[in-house]
Amino acid sequence: MERKSVMRGRWFIKNIDGDFDGIAEKFGLEKMVARVLVNRGLNTDEEIYEYLNAEEGELADPALMYDLEKACEIINGKIRGAKKIRIIGDYDVDGVCSTFILYDFFRKIGADISYVIPHRVQDGYGINIDIVDQAKADGIDTVITCDNGIAAYDQVKHAKEIGLTVIITDHHDIPINSALPPADTVTNPKRENCNYPFKGLCGAAVAYQLINCYARDYGEDAELLKHKIEKTYLEFVALATVCDVMELVKENRIIVKKGLKAIYNTENIGLRAMLEVSGLAEKEEIRVYHLGFILGPMINASGRLESAVKAIKLFLEDDREKALDEARELQELNNERKSITEQSLIRAAEIAESPEYINNKVLVILVPDCHESIAGIVAGKIKERFYKPTLIFTYAERGIKGSGRSIEDYNMVEEISKCEECFSKFGGHPMAAGFSLKGETMKEQLEVLDSLRKKLNENTKLTEEDLTPKIYFDMELPPYYVSESLINNLSRLEPYGQGNKAPTFARRNLSVSSYRILGKNENVMKLELTDGGDGKVYSAIWYGDARAFEQYLLSKEEKKLSIIYSPEINEYRGFKNIQLKIEEYR
């Protein structure tokens, strides 16, 4: 893909007042760390304690979720009556983990249970009429959806008409101006009448709370079963939470902080095989990055290029050698996925930069040869490059389908809901969505696509300011003040991720003493910086397009650089040094 020019956003300092000295003294923190906590909206002692000690936290009572106790009552009756139950999941990491959690738990307590994961290409997202009819043909009595179903009114209506019991568990945004599906129970923390205190759970977390509720109400030893559930399944909830890009705040912070340790010590043979094959078993700890960029893509690759059932079978595997073979297969699929993404990225970028599209505030792009399973990846990368809401469409087996990724000031699922007449199916979040176009013929669908592009751009209230990235940092901090003690203090704020970014600091007009470009793809630059007359040389590193960075430096008369950075300890061959990880520069 051709090199991109540097996109420099507007820099904002998070200048929030608070009792920094009091917080620092009470919680044994450096004052700068107390400022970072206040910047995250944490002010009361209770909030700060819960944030710093998330591993001690507990999730809320699952019975607070609307319809969850009723769902457990129905499921218990079906198990006692030896009725056949089928789980209908989804093909992404959240859907895979949700399905595994429900299937593995209920099969172990004797349920006559099976699962179906819709094929990304042949079936599309979530429950559909064919899956419902097949369930009936297979003698299924009850279907349980996980990570899908909240927008499936017609499919659920059909299931009820042919005599199935339907239990929905989902976490996606509830479609605007649409009735809830007529299921026997509908559990989603985002329902208006749901009293569950935290609304930002992923699908796997909703499934996890379902089995917690069931264990409490119908387990022989509820406390022991609760402990076993956490030990066996919380790691998969953490994996799903990170990979579904949920905000790492409140209950999600509890899940991920506990879950990272659980993954490192996992007794699941399939997950352990993934750690070994990927090289993560040799790490001193598992971090959010490893979930989002190593384990998650391996799981997703099965759903993108073949069937997500491969990943579930891996997690159910009890033979170590077989598990290692299956994990290697997922790794190979992911490598293949990477290689087929590049050409679609090139084509999408060319279209976005063409005269017809360059002034569009919402990018609606058809890439005919793009494999439909990677449309979301392409949309995400194009969104990052141009900082515009991006919908990538492609020719699929069943018409034109697509995926979208959004920016901070554009609620994608809300905006596409205003054009629902263009879609035969859609769903998602404010930041991401998936959809299929209406139309009996390809010609009709292309006309719908053109209409959608016009409507989204006519409807949008995005300003040029909205389309300039907003870059926030915690405070101005000369690197002279960065110490190993400060970095260790800051580590108490981990895990970092969506909604809980790593603390960042700014320093302006640093001098560049030297730099060198590293990496086969020239995607790393190491620099030596000085700051005025303090006499010290500071090591810094940039991960990104190193040649574009170099061109920027060469374009300046003086090699002066302003940076937003996060401090870290770099360890190499037993030698430690403080390093400034550059997040933004200008």
Side-chain angles (χ1 to χ4, degrees), residues 249-537:
V249 298
K250 299 183 179 178
E251 290 201 354
N252 286 341
R253 185 168 168 80
I254 295 170
I255 289 166
V256 174
K257 196 148 189 177
K258 289 183 176 181
L260 289 173
K261 292 179 182 177
I263 291 170
Y264 184 80
N265 297 303
T266 185
E267 295 179 7
N268 182 279
I269 291 171
L271 186 53
R272 173 60 56 187
M274 288 183 70
L275 295 178
E276 292 183 26
V277 165
S278 64
L280 294 180
E282 300 167 9
K283 298 287 185 183
E284 291 185 2
E285 62 179 347
I286 300 296
R287 304 176 72 88
V288 167
Y289 175 85
H290 300 137
L291 274 58
F293 292 92
I294 298 176
L295 297 178
M298 288 173 67
I299 297 168
N300 268 331
S302 66
R304 292 186 191 283
L305 301 187
E306 291 193 14
S307 169
V309 170
K310 282 181 177 291
I312 294 178
K313 286 183 175 178
L314 173 61
F315 295 146
L316 293 168
E317 184 58 68
D318 56 12
D319 183 291
R320 182 175 179 275
E321 292 305 316
K322 286 182 181 178
L324 286 170
D325 287 341
E326 291 169 8
R328 290 187 192 101
E329 189 176 347
L330 291 188
Q331 190 176 49
E332 288 168 6
L333 282 172
N334 190 42
N335 290 335
E336 181 185 348
R337 188 272 308 165
K338 291 177 185 176
S339 68
I340 66 174
T341 301
E342 190 65 20
Q343 288 303 313
S344 294
L345 274 172
I346 292 171
R347 180 60 185 138
E350 288 173 348
I351 294 171
E353 290 175 327
S354 67
E356 184 182 353
Y357 284 77
I358 194 70
N359 293 320
N360 285 184
K361 291 179 178 178
V362 181
L363 293 173
V364 179
I365 297 172
L366 175 67
V367 185
D369 297 329
C370 177
H371 194 291
E372 66 178 272
S373 69
I374 63 168
I377 296 174
V378 175
K381 290 185 179 295
I382 294 298
K383 180 266 294 186
E384 288 172 7
R385 174 167 178 175
F386 296 97
Y387 201 71
K388 294 178 179 180
T390 301
L391 292 76
I392 297 292
F393 288 88
T394 187
Y395 293 141
E397 285 192 12
R398 299 189 180 187
I400 297 177
K401 296 171 67 174
S403 288
R405 298 294 183 268
S406 199
I407 63 174
E408 182 180 337
D409 293 299
Y410 191 84
N411 185 322
M412 181 161 284
V413 75
E414 186 176 301
E415 292 299 320
I416 66 173
S417 293
K418 297 173 185 175
C419 304
E420 61 182 342
E421 69 278 4
C422 294
F423 304 106
S424 60
K425 198 174 186 183
F426 71 91
H429 307 287
M431 299 300 286
F435 19 70
S436 301
L437 292 184
K438 276 187 179 175
E440 296 298 320
T441 66
M442 190 63 68
K443 182 174 181 293
E444 288 177 2
Q445 290 193 333
L446 287 170
E447 290 172 354
V448 170
L449 182 63
D450 188 52
S451 173
L452 175 66
R453 180 180 159 219
K454 289 176 182 174
K455 286 178 180 179
L456 288 176
N457 278 281
E458 287 169 359
N459 291 346
T460 186
K461 293 179 173 58
L462 287 170
T463 64
E464 290 304 320
E465 188 174 283
D466 295 332
L467 295 172
T468 304
K470 302 177 186 70
I471 314 298
Y472 294 93
F473 61 92
D474 285 287
M475 59 185 292
E476 299 263 4
L477 186 68
Y480 177 82
Y481 291 99
V482 176
S483 64
E484 191 168 332
S485 171
L486 173 63
I487 294 170
N488 289 335
N489 251 232
L490 289 170
S491 70
R492 293 182 64 184
L493 312 187
E494 296 181 16
Y496 303 133
Q498 185 75 16
N500 188 51
K501 300 293 187 185
T504 52
F505 308 98
R507 186 59 172 166
R508 304 175 196 276
N509 297 318
L510 295 165
S511 296
V512 181
S513 300
S514 64
Y515 68 85
R516 56 197 172 102
I517 294 173
L518 305 173
K520 182 177 69 174
N521 298 319
E522 299 183 327
N523 59 353
V524 180
M525 180 183 278
K526 296 208 75 169
L527 305 94
E528 290 190 333
L529 308 173
T530 58
D531 187 14
D534 69 9
K536 293 190 69 174
V537 176

Side-chain angles (χ1 to χ4, degrees), residues 46-66:
E46 182 181 4
E47 289 172 337
I48 293 170
Y49 183 86
E50 288 178 357
Y51 179 88
L52 293 175
N53 300 280
E55 66 276 7
E56 298 176 9
E58 296 288 341
L59 303 189
D61 182 353
L64 293 172
M65 280 194 197
Y66 191 86

